[in-house]
Amino acid sequence: MDLRESITTIKGIGEKTASCFSKLGIHTVGELVNTFPRDYIFYGEPVDIKDTKIGVRNVVEGMVYSYVDVKRVRSLKIVTMTVKDGSGTLKITWFNQPYLKNMFHKGETYVFVGEVKIKNNMRVMEHPEYYRPAEYENMRQELQPVYPLTKGLSNKTFQKAVKSARTAYLSLKDYMPEDIRRENNLMELTESYENIHFPMNEELLKNAIRRTAFDEFYKFLYELKVLKQDNVRLINNHKIVQGKAVAEFVNNLPYRLTKGQQQAIEDILSDMGGDNVMNRLVQGDVGSGKTVVAEAALFACAKEGFQGALMVPTEVLAKQHYDEISVIFESYGLRTACLIGSTPLKEKRKIYEELKNKDIDILIGTHALIEDKVEFKNLGLVITDEQHRFGVNQRNRLATKGDYPHVLVMSATPIPRTLAIIMYSDLDISVIKELPKGRKPIKNCVVGTNYRNTAYKFIAGQVAEKSQVYVICPMVDVSDTMDLTNVTEYTDTLKESLPPEIVVETLHGKMKADEKNEIMLRFLDGKIDVLVSTTVIEVGINNPNATVMMVENSERFGLAQLHQLRGRVGRGSKQSYCIFINGKEDDEEVTKRLKVLEDSNDGFFIAGEDLRLRGPGDFFGIRQSGDVQFNIADIYNHADMLRLAQEILDKHSEEVVPDVIEKIKQINI
Ligand code: ADP
Ligand code: MG
């Protein structure tokens, strides 16, 4: 079997199953074996129903003790039954699987595996896995991989497919020489694939993940090195010398710049006026005021007579930036335009024309900026904001719209400096450390679920004072309809707990882009009081009137991500609050980790603590969104592998070429 072949060459995968796989972006054998489990489940000893822990996965063995009931609620068909063991009773529920009614009969015993919740004072397990006791006995004590799934594709089918595809990777020869592997405790390559998909035990799984993270970093750094060799130091074709004009621009701002902002602007001016093309990263915590730094750079560029472009990841953010920038720039006689996917075609054409004729100085927009039709007359500077949302290639594509324009990227991801130097080794870095003066520090609390009602009262009080509120519910897997039910269900409960005049709306990843935009804009307009959202919440959005951020199941997020979410509030003059609900209060380590957020509002400190507390190799937490999207590697959790990859690359880049990785990852048939 070849890694490049279509997955339909695997026995048992027909057109129908293949089309389910293709929804997950899996078309080839190579893509299949490179789709790693998103979690592993350990099937342990069943516990007494009375001892089940709330909010986490439990295994119970019980007898069906009621008749199995099916009822309809709105569009849902709900199957319920009650099971009991010697210690207590447990309600079991499934949504939209009415056929399950005939699976179970009163008096029979099953093992159920799933999360236990309390509803109406009863212990409830929703959508559990179920097994006959003998069947369960067979899988006990094994680590079971859980793959990302989609409708019509079961975990069992996925597992079987990977098993059949094993031969495709087992014959590969490791690109990493044995002596280097031994010296650095790196598992052999094919062995790592084996143990990621079929882990024999936790120790081997850990080592396999470690090796895979290493490979991802090594390949990334290797490519970066090649890239850098290709474009050593480019000659500056766009000398921009506008120190005086920028000083005036800064003087006219309604506030004084912080030291970090000033330094960043100085760095930028010195780059753009120098002999080589600028290639700079501005890194600053959320709310540190990166936008104005971008504005100053664009201003200098336009004053010099060149065009500039600012690319952001979402339409809402593009509009928000445009509204601010266009007003300021037009007062200086500079012309701006906004180009996004939903711009009407007629207007788009006009913008294309004006860009070519240089009737537009500054263009702001989304990915729409890198479409082929967009042509500039003399592009001198490109900026990408919230750059972690873009790949290196998208960044570069914007730059190819000009003749080696200056490049500036902005990031709010607080990576410790040592890591940043590796991750962004092709960029110079300016760091904005401090927040603008006069901000009231956000008041934080980490509390248990029993605090929820108090929190709702607090939220009602803030809305009564004309403030707005974000509530975040985690959605682990976008393809999981179960979690979707949770968000809508959650919103219903929330509405019931708040006074009826409060407007509550939901935002989630399943919505169409324009639906999401519409809700975001209404929220910015103050027409929505409480926005319940999954983490699709737009990055970079500035709503200074939002004063409360409540995060459900905080324990499921990394600290750095929680800090990013928190950055949505505390942007105005009003006092802001962050309520982190801890669903695992009994877990001392989790609580200790979350408490870091209570003690500090400093993103860099938090990222460091996250790294220290979770340590490398914590693979059961939700993976943090790093700056570059790796499959398994995580710049915080696997910081040691990142350093090791850099070290080996520095010593052996000539002989250790990650071409096998290239081969394994062969995609696109
Ligand atoms: P981020 O770094 O997260 O992109 P923004 O650029 O959106 O932050 O800035 C957040 C808010 O702070 C904006 O409302 C902006 O006008 C304001 N701001 C920026 N710099 C300063 C400053 N030096 N003093 C006071 N307010 C500032
Ligand atoms: Mg920003």
Side-chain angles (χ1 to χ4, degrees):
M1 193 173 300
D2 192 278
L3 289 157
R4 254 169 293 182
E5 278 176 319
S6 157
I7 50 167
T8 49
T9 55
I10 297 172
K11 220 178 107 206
I13 296 192
E15 287 303 324
K16 205 168 147 229
T17 313
S19 86
C20 291
F21 273 112
S22 84
K23 280 197 195 114
L24 295 169
I26 301 169
H27 308 93
T28 63
V29 176
E31 283 167 340
L32 176 73
V33 301
N34 275 294
T35 307
F36 299 145
R38 61 176 169 87
D39 206 350
Y40 297 85
I41 294 181
F42 185 69
Y43 287 92
E45 187 91 39
V47 298
D48 284 351
I49 289 178
K50 75 165 179 9
D51 293 335
T52 49
K53 287 204 176 139
I54 308 306
V56 297
R57 188 174 158 278
N58 288 272
V59 181
V60 302
E61 180 169 341
M63 188 181 78
V64 179
Y65 135 94
S66 68
Y67 286 103
V68 186
D69 181 41
V70 185
K71 64 173 185 250
R72 286 189 82 109
V73 177
R74 275 177 274 149
S75 61
L76 286 178
K77 287 202 188 98
I78 306 180
V79 176
T80 55
M81 63 186 192
T82 312
V83 300
K84 72 171 184 179
D85 62 7
S87 74
T89 58
L90 176 71
K91 195 173 151 190
I92 307 260
T93 321
W94 282 280
F95 299 104
N96 283 340
Q97 283 169 275
Y99 55 87
L100 286 176
K101 179 177 164 52
N102 303 321
M103 284 287 304
F104 300 97
H105 302 101
K106 205 172 160 177
E108 287 174 348
T109 298
Y110 284 89
V111 176
F112 296 95
V113 185
E115 188 178 321
V116 174
K117 297 180 184 169
I118 297 281
K119 283 194 173 169
N120 300 325
N121 272 327
M122 270 204 71
R123 280 173 202 265
V124 183
M125 206 184 251
E126 288 173 351
H127 277 253
E129 299 162 41
Y130 51 89
Y131 304 94
R132 287 291 195 173
E135 190 187 356
Y136 185 77
E137 202 47 43
N138 277 338
M139 11 184 280
R140 262 197 40 199
Q141 311 302 338
E142 267 179 47
L143 278 168
Q144 294 287 331
V146 182
Y147 289 98
L149 299 176
T150 180
K151 216 175 151 196
L153 186 65
S154 73
N155 201 48
K156 275 184 195 146
T157 310
F158 205 119
Q159 233 175 318
K160 253 194 173 151
V162 177
K163 213 164 237 166
S164 312
R166 290 170 66 210
T167 46
Y169 61 74
L170 285 179
S171 57
L172 294 171
K173 194 175 168 313
D174 197 343
Y175 71 96
M176 189 59 66
E178 203 186 331
D179 53 331
I180 301 184
R181 263 189 348 245
R182 192 164 304 142
E183 196 181 321
N184 296 291
N185 267 326
L186 288 172
M187 187 181 256
E188 194 272 332
L189 185 73
T190 60
E191 209 181 313
S192 74
Y193 271 84
E194 274 292 274
N195 278 295
I196 277 200
H197 289 296
F198 314 103
M200 299 297 288
N201 59 47
E202 265 185 60
E203 190 58 32
L204 286 171
L205 172 61
K206 228 173 181 163
N207 282 331
I209 288 178
R210 201 170 161 270
R211 169 68 207 254
T212 310
F214 173 87
D215 285 330
E216 289 183 7
F217 286 137
Y218 191 82
K219 178 167 176 286
F220 172 77
L221 294 171
Y222 187 89
E223 282 172 358
L224 208 62
K225 189 167 177 155
V226 173
L227 193 81
K228 262 184 8 189
Q229 277 161 355
D230 281 354
N231 60 2
V232 215
R233 287 260 115 180
L234 297 167
I235 301 296
N236 183 358
N237 293 327
H238 305 91
K239 282 243 162 110
I240 296 172
V241 190
Q242 293 290 333
K244 264 207 188 120
V246 171
E248 190 197 328
F249 172 85
V250 166
N251 256 329
N252 290 340
L253 289 170
Y255 45 75
R256 298 279 298 279
L257 293 183
T258 63
K259 252 206 201 129
Q261 287 172 317
Q262 270 171 28
Q263 185 60 51
I265 292 175
E266 261 172 49
D267 292 344
I268 290 167
L269 288 176
S270 132
D271 287 351
M272 296 197 302
D275 295 333
N276 301 112
V277 174
M278 170 167 77
N279 212 6
R280 182 169 292 277
L281 166 75
V282 172
Q283 216 195 0
D285 209 344
V286 266
S288 61
K290 292 183 291 296
T291 313
V292 70
V293 173
E295 284 169 10
L298 288 169
F299 184 78
C301 169
K303 274 280 166 192
E304 194 71 53
F306 299 121
Q307 289 173 301
L310 170 62
M311 183 163 74
V312 302
T314 69
E315 298 207 346
V316 176
L317 200 53
K319 281 189 188 145
Q320 204 172 42
H321 278 341
Y322 174 72
D323 287 345
E324 180 178 323
I325 294 177
S326 60
V327 172
I328 304 177
F329 277 39
E330 265 149 40
S331 72
Y332 289 96
L334 298 170
R335 296 152 303 179
T336 52
C338 182
L339 181 67
I340 55 184
S342 63
T343 305
L345 194 59
K346 216 173 126 190
E347 208 173 305
K348 273 188 184 164
R349 291 208 181 108
K350 187 166 163 259
I351 291 177
Y352 298 152
E353 266 319 292
E354 290 177 342
L355 272 180
K356 267 191 271 183
N357 298 334
K358 203 180 172 293
D359 293 328
I360 292 172
D361 299 302
I362 302 295
L363 182 64
I364 296 156
T366 54
H367 299 83
L369 262 53
I370 50 180
E371 277 172 22
D372 287 340
K373 292 182 194 113
V374 180
E375 288 172 48
F376 293 84
K377 177 99 184 279
N378 64 357
L379 186 62
L381 166 67
V382 296
I383 306 182
T384 39
D385 191 12
E386 304 294 346
Q387 67 84 32
H388 58 286
R389 288 295 197 91
F390 297 103
V392 175
N393 286 336
Q394 285 171 318
R395 213 163 82 195
N396 290 346
R397 255 181 80 189
L398 184 57
T400 59
K401 301 255 170 215
D403 182 20
Y404 300 106
H406 298 290
V407 174
L408 185 63
V409 295
M410 325 275 270
S411 172
T413 310
I415 315 174
R417 195 171 170 87
T418 43
L419 296 187
I421 289 171
I422 299 175
M423 292 294 298
Y424 300 113
S425 48
D426 61 330
L427 301 172
D428 297 314
I429 303 178
S430 303
V431 179
I432 306 180
K433 277 236 169 76
E434 65 280 66
L435 294 182
K437 282 210 189 72
R439 291 269 172 82
K440 294 198 179 86
I442 299 169
K443 291 196 173 148
N444 304 292
C445 62
V446 178
V447 289
T449 46
N450 55 359
Y451 186 82
R452 203 176 273 136
N453 285 325
T454 316
Y456 289 166
K457 278 193 200 111
F458 180 73
I459 287 174
Q462 288 285 303
V463 174
E465 287 174 29
K466 302 267 172 294
S467 292
Q468 289 165 280
V469 177
Y470 296 96
V471 179
I472 306 291
C473 290
M475 179 147 75
V476 179
D477 187 349
V478 195
S479 63
D480 196 342
T481 41
M482 195 46 228
D483 279 315
L484 189 59
T485 320
N486 284 347
V487 176
T488 32
E489 224 174 70
Y490 183 89
T491 310
D492 290 346
T493 322
L494 178 63
K495 276 183 185 158
E496 278 161 26
S497 317
L498 293 174
E501 67 274 15
I502 294 186
V503 183
V504 183
E505 290 269 6
T506 315
L507 191 75
H508 58 75
K510 282 261 161 137
M511 286 175 163
K512 296 218 177 69
D514 45 354
E515 219 177 324
K516 274 193 258 179
N517 284 342
E518 198 250 351
I519 290 190
M520 261 338 281
L521 290 174
R522 280 205 293 139
F523 184 67
L524 290 175
D525 250 6
K527 303 222 167 76
I528 294 170
D529 301 309
V530 179
L531 185 66
V532 182
S533 169
T534 58
T535 46
V536 297
I537 186 85
E538 309 288 326
V539 284
I541 285 296
N542 193 24
N543 182 354
N545 194 45
T547 59
V548 184
M549 164 67 64
M550 173 168 162
V551 185
E552 290 282 353
N553 289 105
S554 305
E555 75 282 358
R556 296 211 202 167
F557 297 99
L559 290 184
Q561 198 183 355
L562 288 170
H563 180 68
Q564 289 288 312
L565 287 169
R566 166 163 73 183
R568 298 304 115 226
V569 297
R571 303 188 140 240
S573 52
K574 292 194 219 174
Q575 177 63 52
S576 287
Y577 306 87
C578 229
I579 306 166
F580 298 106
I581 306 277
N582 178 2
K584 277 198 185 166
E585 244 189 324
D586 311 347
D587 191 328
E588 238 171 75
E589 235 161 76
V590 168
T591 306
K592 194 169 136 206
R593 189 165 70 84
L594 290 175
K595 290 277 178 195
V596 172
L597 293 163
E598 254 177 17
D599 299 341
S600 171
N601 276 321
D602 175 347
F604 287 93
F605 172 75
I606 287 167
E609 282 299 284
D610 207 7
L611 188 60
R612 197 174 63 78
L613 288 174
R614 294 209 295 175
D618 162 6
F619 48 86
F620 287 115
I622 293 177
R623 262 168 233 140
Q624 267 174 298
S625 62
D627 256 45
V628 177
Q629 291 301 316
F630 294 108
N631 200 348
I632 243 180
D634 174 312
I635 47 169
Y636 297 106
N637 283 334
H638 305 121
D640 55 340
M641 287 299 104
L642 182 55
R643 286 195 200 99
L644 180 63
Q646 180 71 53
E647 227 177 87
I648 295 181
L649 184 70
D650 288 345
K651 271 194 250 163
H652 305 283
S653 69
E654 297 301 317
E655 72 266 38
V656 184
V657 180
D659 51 352
V660 176
I661 296 297
E662 206 57 66
K663 204 160 144 200
I664 297 186
K665 301 253 154 112
Q666 282 296 354
I667 32 177
N668 298 332
I669 26 173

